[in-house]
Amino acid sequence: MPIILNLDVMLAKRKMRSNELAEKIGITTANLSILKTGKAKAVRFSTLESICDVLECQPGDILEYVNEIK
């Protein structure tokens, strides 16, 4: 998939654990894991907003587009 979620990178930069972020943004650790592994088909803007608010970052710090040439 050409869209990569670099959530684990931002968590490491902020020295925060996944379960702490999940609790602060109000989603389950299982759903956060789906986001982190790239298995999610969509991300709600409200969830993305909450993640950016807690991690004090911009959406571009988390989302990355990689062109897959086949």
Side-chain angles (χ1 to χ4, degrees):
M1 178 189 293
I3 301 291
I4 298 171
L5 205 67
N6 293 314
L7 193 51
D8 51 347
V9 174
M10 286 307 298
L11 283 168
K13 286 182 179 180
R14 300 299 188 251
K15 296 182 171 97
M16 186 179 292
R17 298 180 62 140
S18 296
N19 58 348
E20 183 182 352
L21 177 63
E23 186 177 309
K24 287 184 177 191
I25 65 174
I27 65 172
T28 65
T29 54
N31 283 340
L32 186 61
S33 178
I34 290 169
L35 286 174
K36 283 179 54 179
T37 59
K39 294 180 181 176
K41 299 293 181 199
V43 179
R44 291 178 189 240
F45 281 135
S46 59
T47 302
L48 183 59
E49 180 182 354
S50 295
I51 291 170
C52 290
D53 183 45
V54 170
L55 295 178
E56 297 178 351
C57 65
Q58 294 294 313
D61 297 328
I62 298 171
L63 299 170
E64 178 182 0
Y65 173 74
V66 177
N67 190 2
E68 291 181 351
I69 299 174
K70 294 184 179 185

